[in-house]
Amino acid sequence: MCGIFGYIGNQKRAAAIVFEGLKTLEYRGYDSWGIAVKAGNRIEIEKRVGKIGQAKVSLPQSNLGIGHTRWATHGGVTVKNAHPHRDCSGNIALLHNGIIENYESIKSELLAKGHTFLSETDTEVAVHLIEENMKNGNTFPEAVRRAFLRFSGLNAIVVMNSNSNQIIAAKNGSPLVVGKSDSGFFLASDASGIVKFTKEIIFLKDDEMVILDDSVNLFTVSTGKNLPLSYEHVDWIIEEADRGKYPHFMIKEIFDQPKVIRNIAETYADQIDDLAEVIKVAKGTFFIGAGTAFHASLAGVYLFSKIAKEHINTAMASEFNYLEDFLTKQSLIIALSQSGETIDIVEPLTRAKQKGSSVVAIVNSLGSTIYRMADKKLLLGAGPEKAVASTKAYVAKLAVLLMLSFAMVRKTSDAQKLLLEAAGEIRRLLSDENLEKLRRLAKELKGNENIFTVGRGTSYATALEAALKIKEVSYIHTEGLAGGELKHGTIALIEKGTPCFVFAPMDETHEAILSNAMEIKARGGKIVGISPQKAEVFDHFIEVKDVGEASVITQIIPAQLLAYFLAVEKDLDPDKPRNLAKSVTVK
Ligand code: F6R
């Protein structure tokens, strides 16, 4: 996680430039932030807890600065733990993305040598180790290189030195990019932070380090050997998101969904037909994703079984590392990701590629790490998703997977029709009347400590996703289950009035899930039925019209809306829930 931004050049506005860059990267972490600039021969640092939002920086003019937005891993959310961290001399400042897994042993060593630590972070060992390496006669770049080689884990560090007027960055696992323009050099944790300053970008590879001063010099960390520079000209226009008339990005993005689905239905047929051919020749295809994207993967497995009569495997990306021993050159991994930066996906994809397997990326972010590493790419085209809770990228993934499963049996046009119907039904679900109904339900449910969501088949994926959406923005414990699993244990938790959302589309799961609803109701549960058809067992009925297999898309909408209204009713920020980040780049 963590957003990183650095600037060195001919502008005296380093703090303002870094601040502006960090704002674009805040989706990577927003519990605290900090900026360091060179002021004379010293370094001045400003750090604060909380979102960078409308904050103002009061640092002196400078042409060299680095900054960081944090998502805490080691050490609580405090000003002391916010980056950048300084060495004992105060002339070196460092920020970091990742986890230095062996930090404890390095810290004991440095404490014994008299270094003073001010924070509880793993990061701080890095700056003191660099200082120690310099005391032992190494130049600044060599001290950084040697320090970086000692770290285990996936890390990126950025270090500035007010004596040598340099910024040095090194990476292994975590992304880093460098950009150049007439006003100087920029450094960021991903290209989206940099493209408004320059389109000439170097994407650093693992085991590379870069020195920025009057020029740019690139090295291999492990050997120290100089590397040629290869700038890529990116012509991406990163869409700026705007809330428009909506009070939050989450509700704006829920309202974007009909347009997103329509766009996929109307313009994706060719690329989806191509991808279907790739799946047909693969020997073993796996969908992988994390969180919401994993739920889309799971829905995809059911859709492929039902429509394409094809077996696809799925795994949570973070577990795929332990399931991939059987991958071969004929295997195909299809990674689903909104950000394209999730380390839990990047890591297994790297290993799969080493084994010669093919990789397809279905991502929303152009130029992201996963997008760049894939052999074949499909962009979701959902537009920027700013709310941490994913909504439109989820339905976009479902739309693509639905079309893909139909494309496998050469019936892409059937899927296109269903998707257009689904887009129409979502528009109906977003009517004022329906919104009011869900707002009232949120008022009724907001005091509950537990909610359950159940479904079978594709609706099992919906139940998991509904539970995730509700819990992450409302902080109400919500558990999603396959309908048949309840009686195997969890039904013990149902008490009088426990809300339970039952997803009951008109498919092969309809009758069985209504029986499960009866079992819950018999134990006092309050049933909220989401279905095309009212049933006696429902205490509340939310009608979602039948759109065949595309019902997997429409059924999630009431749950997204309810999650949003629960957050609003509880006076919480639905766009930036506590403890989360939009892009998850640590393991
Ligand atoms: C939940 C949510 C997360 C992400 C997950 C993967 O609303 O957004 O569960 O789905 O962190 O992120 P991406 O899709 O960026 O790989």
Side-chain angles (χ1 to χ4, degrees), residues 278-287 304 310-314 320 326-334 352 356-360 408:
V278 175
I279 297 176
K280 281 182 196 167
V281 297
K283 300 238 168 2
T285 299
F286 303 82
F287 292 153
F304 262 69
E310 278 276 342
H311 171 64
I312 304 277
N313 281 300
T314 189
F320 195 60
F326 47 79
L327 290 183
T328 68
K329 288 192 168 59
Q330 281 77 41
S331 309
L332 173 67
I333 324 297
I334 302 188
S357 308
S358 305
V359 167
V360 172
M408 295 291 290

Side-chain angles (χ1 to χ4, degrees), residues 289-295 336-345 362-363 365 370 385 387-391 393 397 465 468-469 472-473 580-584:
T292 289
F294 168 66
H295 300 152
L336 295 136
S337 176
Q338 189 288 126
S339 63
E341 295 294 347
T342 304
I343 200 79
D344 288 328
I345 305 176
I362 300 184
V363 299
S365 301
I370 295 170
E385 194 182 62
V388 164
S390 184
T391 53
K397 286 171 202 142
E465 174 57 10
L468 180 58
K469 227 57 333 157
E472 71 182 321
V473 300
L580 297 177
K582 186 71 184 153
S583 174
V584 184

